[in-house]
Amino acid sequence: MRSQPDTPLAEPVAIVGIAALYPGVRGADAFWRHLTEPPPPPGAAAPSLADVEVDVAQFGIPPAQAGALTRMQLLMLEAARECLEDAKAGDRALQAERTDVVAGVCAGLDRQYANALRVEGSRYARELERALTAPEFGGSARTAAQAADELRTALVRRLGASPHDRVGEMASTIPARIASAFKLRGRTLALESADATSFLALAHALDNLRGGLSEAVLVVAGQREEGPFLRAALAAKGLVADRARPFAADGGGFVLGEGVGALLLKRLSSAVRDGDRVYATVRGCAVRHEGRPGVFRYSTSVERRAVTARAALDACGAQPSSVGYVECGGSGVAHETRAELGALKTVYAGDGPGSVVVGSVRDRLGHTFANAGLASVTKAALALYHRRLPGGLPAAPEPGPPFRTLPEPRKWHQEAGAGPRRAAVSGASLTGTLCHLVLEEHDPDAAGPAAEHPRTARASVAPEPIAVVGYGGRFGDAPDADAFWAAMLTGEDRIGPLPESLLDRELYYEPGRLSLTRSYTDQGSPVEVPAAPPEGLRIPPRRWAVMDAAQRVALSVAGELMARRGPGAAALRGPGLVATGTNLSLSRERRAAAGLALGEVEAAVGGLAALGRLDATETATLLDLVRERYAAGPAPRAPEDLDGSLAGGVAAVIAGEYGLDAVPLGVEAACASSLAALDVAVGRLRSGSVDYALAGGVELPCNARDMVLCSALGLLSHGRITPFDSAADGFTPGDGCALFLLKRYADARRDGDAIHGLLCGIGASNDAKSLIAPDADGQVRAMRQAFGQAGFDPADVGYLEAHGTGTRVGDRVEIAAVSRVYASPHRRRPLEIGSAKSFFGHTFAAAGAAGLLRALHALRAGVLPANAGLTTVNPELDLDRVPARVSTATGPWESAPGRPRRAGVSSFGTGGINYHVLIEEHLDGPR
């Protein structure tokens, strides 16, 4: 049994703002009309999200960055604006420093695909040049070289290119841009969990609100057809149909839809205090997972679905008979539909046949994937607000007792004394995740004076620490966590020239100049991607082969973590979470998308002046020859192909192969992604929603695409990364992954786990000023928030694992922020500062995990690690203000008897995203 909070019921969370951008729909009122009015006649022109016009200028986006924005970023900015405008019924402004922005997306975005195709286009251009030297095409080396150069220029012009592409394309730039545009300074992150994405975003928001970390949370989720990849991959799974039939007994799939929605959430007490209009309240929320080895697929377990629904009802003390409407997932997949309705029938028995109305928003919108949960919750909330039961397309056949469908909307009658109207929302993901929420109407006349709820995921009270009971890691040439630490003790970095297999120097390397198509450095710290699954896992060769390299590395690190626990460790039972910080568009997906867009490159070839002498037949022959030599990324053809391309699939493959009832989640917060994933995990643990969590991060940026895009903005060092050195001129990319197994401290003690360290506080903020330049104020807020939870002072911290990007500005700003928090006349010895990046480079989404792994080892070993590559500490840092020092040699970490060693870990990301973690040595019990 997991630890339960002292009081049984959580405070209701109010929906106080709604935005809805769907084809032909704009705004909450238009969304409700779209759901309740007759559908358009067959053959009518189908609108799309492309028809939505967005005024870019109103968001204060610099012209130099505007061209690098994804279309999704613009749509989500507009949805955020409309949602915040919709919520202006209250007369109080949002508390900016305690308002979070959480965005949900799935699969790649248009700029990510365009950038990948542009970089891949250089490889195509080389094959074109080689083909043109053949006798049948003239054999002129000069003409061939001219055509290749012309094609590269044409692709830059055709696909668009900007020095800001690496920042503009990132999913985490979306919530960061929203925070910047509306001056919101709370937690900022992007999430992905396939078609459970927006459900997980809502669950995270509930944790932060109920845990007192946030005063308001803006949740935005969206899905577009950014290219043919997602549809092709879903079709290869057999999930795509030609029309929406949510409850069809013989359904063969769903229609893929588009949509962007937003909800602004507050605790009900805050909403009442502020005089907000409340559409409805979220009372109960449960997410569970059916972890099964093999290809990702929807759960068909009636029992597991019923358990999830009951958990949501139990969370708010609601009886099933009090629910009058259930918004179903209604996937249109026959076996899933049977399982969903079967589970709901066992839970919502009602008072008799037809007592519960069911429907699915997919009959009007199709399956909006990452947005699906948000669309369903919005529909249910509006039904409660308008007190009308929504109609829907006729079910074939009727779902059966106790359910019924309505051909058209009806007034939602409620008998006197029956209590408030309630609706439930059911959902599921193709990764095996199950979701259920319970919503309740809000009667403003019955609301009493605002008061804090007794349960209120306050920040000033030190909560229970979280125990680290397992860990694993792989960075550079270090195949496991022990080798990682051994490298730290040598004082020598693991950075060097990248192999040709990762960086084709002929195509992508040009030292000494900035370029949109080449990198000015060839240095990095790559990992060796495992050739086989971890011992004990039986994964078919083809499925292993189509996994993204990041998935394979993360699975191997999870294997190390599991093995480290030993055969005597208790099995991981009960609900859990696997949260991995990662880029939300994996390399395999981008390469496959580039392959599907090869026609775009070939269209550019057709317009090259250098080929004007070729007739149509010769050009067609040339294109066939180049296509054969080019070897484009393979198009999705089998059910497992989508699995190997999902960013959330990094976590899902771990949960599935180890059979865990642990919800998988991909988290992106730029370079702070690992600590953002850790933050989500800690929130779920402290809310009592899960019994354990695996959290960390993985990214493999040692590749041509990332090298080129980072070079274009001048982010990379011309030599190698040297944090805090006078000669620091940028970072060096490194590949890596680290994962940590977490439990509540009391549970870890009860279970007899070896405790490697304690997480005592985690703070987060957004500086909301610049997407590129660091800001000390935001970093200070994150640090102080962490200390507000920790129960000890900055002077008690002996070591700081810094972000340490190795840029003069970044290092200077970071130490300035450290000085404002850690400086103390009571400090007994200088604060030691270091960064794992000096050894293994900047591992992007895995950076915070690398820092935490290094700090954890330092605590356990009682050793202060060295920093590699440091020649002269930059005097501009003014370390004496703290006082602090950056050491070039390892040394003992002295501590008073009975006094635990304590460390801080910082991770700051592009977009002004800041995270800070405080950890403590565990002195009592097995370590």
Side-chain angles (χ1 to χ4, degrees):
M1 295 290 292
R2 65 178 182 273
S3 306
Q4 294 290 344
D6 295 336
T7 51
L9 302 180
E11 180 178 7
V13 169
I15 298 173
V16 300
I18 291 176
L21 295 178
Y22 297 91
V25 172
R26 194 161 186 172
D29 291 341
F31 184 64
W32 182 243
R33 288 196 301 272
H34 181 71
L35 297 176
T36 55
E37 293 179 350
S48 75
L49 287 183
D51 301 327
V52 178
E53 295 183 1
V54 180
D55 179 9
V56 180
Q58 67 182 316
F59 300 116
I61 299 170
Q65 299 177 17
L69 302 185
T70 64
R71 172 68 174 167
M72 182 61 76
Q73 184 173 149
L74 293 177
L75 291 171
M76 286 193 165
L77 276 165
E78 181 62 16
R81 185 194 66 79
E82 293 188 6
C83 186
L84 294 173
E85 286 288 332
D86 184 64
K88 279 190 175 177
D91 56 6
R92 292 194 187 187
L94 291 173
Q95 296 183 27
E97 293 187 5
R98 290 168 52 79
T99 299
D100 301 346
V101 183
V102 183
V105 296
C106 183
L109 305 174
D110 53 3
R111 288 305 314 159
Q112 293 170 332
Y113 288 162
N115 293 335
L117 183 57
R118 174 164 52 83
V119 174
E120 281 282 295
S122 289
R123 193 163 61 86
Y124 185 97
R126 179 170 62 185
E127 297 304 329
L128 175 67
E129 181 177 0
R130 289 172 176 174
L132 281 170
T133 59
E136 60 265 38
F137 301 114
S140 168
R142 180 177 178 180
T143 301
Q146 180 183 347
D149 288 342
E150 191 181 350
L151 176 59
R152 293 187 182 97
T153 302
L155 288 176
V156 168
R157 183 174 59 252
R158 192 182 189 98
L159 298 171
S162 161
H164 295 275
D165 280 338
R166 183 62 176 89
V167 176
E169 71 165 18
M170 296 166 62
S172 57
T173 303
I174 296 173
R177 182 75 71 182
I178 292 172
S180 176
F182 301 103
K183 298 179 173 55
L184 307 176
R185 298 184 174 91
R187 282 163 160 76
T188 306
L189 68 160
L191 305 177
E192 191 264 286
S193 188
D195 35 352
T197 294
S198 52
F199 283 110
L200 269 294
L202 288 168
H204 177 58
L206 297 178
D207 286 343
N208 283 1
L209 289 165
R210 289 169 171 165
L213 295 176
S214 310
E215 188 64 22
V217 182
L218 178 63
V219 178
V220 192
Q223 191 74 53
R224 288 181 71 228
E225 285 212 57
E226 308 282 1
F229 172 78
L230 182 60
R231 179 178 292 275
L234 289 169
K237 272 191 175 292
L239 296 176
V240 177
D242 58 355
R243 60 193 180 103
R245 302 168 65 214
F247 299 105
D250 59 346
F254 47 74
V255 173
L256 190 60
E258 294 187 327
V260 177
L263 298 177
L264 182 64
L265 307 174
K266 287 184 177 181
R267 290 185 299 277
L268 180 58
S269 59
S270 299
V272 172
R273 176 200 66 200
D274 295 345
D276 292 314
R277 170 186 55 200
V278 177
Y279 283 103
T281 61
V282 180
R283 298 301 313 274
C285 174
V287 289
R288 295 289 188 269
H289 188 73
E290 184 177 10
R292 296 175 296 176
V295 175
F296 297 164
R297 54 204 183 277
Y298 289 104
S299 171
T300 57
S301 171
V302 171
E303 178 185 5
R304 206 170 280 260
R305 287 171 177 266
V307 165
T308 306
R310 290 192 180 102
L313 290 161
D314 291 345
C316 60
Q319 294 298 316
S321 58
S322 69
V323 175
Y325 176 72
V326 178
E327 173 68 17
C328 299
S331 71
V333 181
H335 57 276
E336 192 208 348
T337 297
R338 286 193 296 271
E340 180 178 35
L341 291 176
L344 294 175
K345 287 175 182 178
T346 67
V347 176
Y348 294 99
D351 297 325
S355 59
V356 181
V357 174
V358 294
S360 175
V361 75
R362 295 186 195 180
D363 63 6
R364 296 296 180 95
L365 301 181
H367 186 7
T368 56
F369 224 69
N371 169 263
L374 208 62
S376 294
V377 170
T378 301
K379 178 183 175 183
L382 289 172
L384 289 166
Y385 180 70
H386 291 286
R387 298 181 176 178
R388 289 180 66 80
L389 291 164
L393 300 180
E398 275 291 313
F403 302 124
R404 61 177 170 143
T405 58
L406 295 177
E408 57 187 24
R410 293 183 185 175
K411 184 176 180 180
W412 191 337
H413 294 284
Q414 190 80 338
E415 295 181 5
R421 295 170 179 83
R422 288 186 177 130
V425 178
S426 172
S429 164
L430 58 80
T431 61
T433 295
L434 302 169
C435 320
H436 208 84
L437 285 85
V438 178
L439 278 65
E440 185 175 287
E441 71 175 334
H442 174 67
D443 184 352
D445 296 328
E452 287 295 338
H453 191 274
R455 261 286 289 276
T456 303
R458 307 253 46 110
S460 59
V461 178
E464 180 184 16
I466 300 298
V468 180
V469 299
Y471 61 89
R474 178 181 287 234
F475 293 86
D477 63 355
D480 56 35
D482 291 339
F484 169 86
W485 179 240
M488 299 293 163
L489 300 180
T490 68
E492 298 178 358
D493 68 48
R494 296 302 197 267
I495 295 170
L498 293 178
E500 287 289 321
S501 60
L502 295 177
L503 184 70
D504 187 326
R505 286 168 175 76
E506 180 185 42
L507 287 180
Y508 300 117
Y509 179 47
E510 187 173 4
R513 64 181 291 263
L514 294 178
S515 167
L516 293 174
T517 57
R518 295 174 183 268
S519 170
Y520 54 74
T521 181
D522 65 348
Q523 300 290 300
S525 183
V527 299
E528 182 178 350
V529 178
E535 185 177 353
L537 298 185
R538 301 179 62 182
I539 299 177
R542 189 189 186 281
R543 183 161 180 265
W544 179 256
V546 300
M547 284 185 189
D548 187 85
Q551 294 178 330
R552 284 182 271 167
V553 169
L555 191 58
S556 71
V557 172
E560 177 200 346
L561 181 153
M562 297 296 186
R564 190 183 299 277
R565 300 187 71 224
L572 296 176
R573 302 189 185 280
L577 175 76
V578 182
T580 54
T582 179
N583 188 306
L584 292 192
S585 178
L586 300 182
S587 292
R588 183 172 183 83
E589 179 207 4
R590 295 196 197 199
R591 183 154 185 253
L596 289 170
L598 189 57
E600 185 85 4
V601 179
E602 294 178 336
V605 172
L608 298 181
L611 302 184
R613 56 187 174 74
L614 299 182
D615 61 27
T617 301
E618 290 172 324
T619 300
T621 302
L622 174 65
L623 291 177
D624 287 342
L625 178 60
V626 177
R627 179 183 280 259
E628 181 180 343
R629 292 179 173 179
Y630 171 63
R637 295 187 179 89
E640 59 265 37
D641 287 344
L642 177 62
D643 304 357
S645 300
L646 287 174
V650 174
V653 75
I654 294 172
E657 295 306 319
Y658 285 100
L660 303 178
D661 177 10
V663 174
L665 181 65
V667 178
E668 188 190 303
C671 308
S673 297
S674 292
L675 297 193
L678 200 77
D679 186 43
V680 174
V682 168
R684 295 260 81 195
L685 284 163
R686 285 179 172 163
S687 72
S689 300
V690 300
D691 292 342
Y692 61 90
L694 273 77
V698 59
E699 190 161 357
L700 312 180
C702 291
N703 62 73
R705 182 196 67 245
D706 283 315
M707 299 285 284
V708 168
L709 296 182
C710 289
S711 287
L713 197 53
L715 299 176
L716 302 183
S717 170
H718 289 264
R720 60 183 60 197
I721 185 172
T722 55
F724 311 117
D725 195 277
S726 293
D729 67 343
F731 62 79
T732 303
D735 296 342
C737 175
L739 297 173
F740 306 89
L741 179 59
L742 311 175
K743 287 185 177 181
R744 287 179 292 272
Y745 181 55
D747 291 354
R749 293 292 300 269
R750 177 201 64 201
D751 296 342
D753 290 306
I755 299 176
H756 307 294
L758 299 175
L759 302 180
C760 299
I762 181 164
S765 73
N766 188 288
D767 63 41
K769 292 180 181 177
S770 168
L771 263 66
I772 301 174
D775 178 75
D777 290 342
Q779 296 176 16
V780 165
R781 284 196 301 274
M783 294 178 193
R784 287 178 175 163
Q785 189 181 112
F787 278 106
Q789 304 168 24
F792 53 81
D793 296 326
D796 297 322
V797 174
Y799 174 68
L800 172 64
E801 174 65 24
H803 185 56
T805 55
T807 64
R808 290 176 67 90
V809 173
D811 290 349
R812 188 175 68 248
V813 170
E814 180 171 9
I815 297 303
V818 169
S819 297
R820 289 167 57 183
V821 177
Y822 281 88
S824 171
H826 305 296
R827 182 170 291 284
R828 292 177 296 168
R829 57 179 60 88
L831 175 70
E832 288 285 343
I833 297 178
S835 175
K837 294 180 181 68
S838 65
F839 286 86
F840 290 103
H842 190 353
T843 53
F844 291 36
L852 180 58
L853 183 60
R854 175 164 137 126
L856 194 67
H857 272 298
L859 286 178
R860 299 181 68 237
V863 172
L864 292 167
N867 293 278
L870 186 66
T871 302
T872 304
V873 175
N874 186 351
E876 296 177 0
L877 301 181
D878 194 11
L879 294 173
D880 290 339
R881 285 182 297 173
V882 180
R885 65 187 177 200
V886 183
S887 297
T888 58
T890 59
W893 186 346
E894 298 177 359
S895 66
R899 187 182 184 92
R901 298 175 176 89
R902 291 167 174 144
V905 181
S906 288
S907 199
F908 309 134
T910 303
I913 301 173
N914 310 298
Y915 279 82
H916 191 71
V917 170
L918 296 170
I919 61 174
E920 180 177 278
E921 180 183 17
H922 182 242
L923 298 178
D924 184 17
R927 301 176 64 237

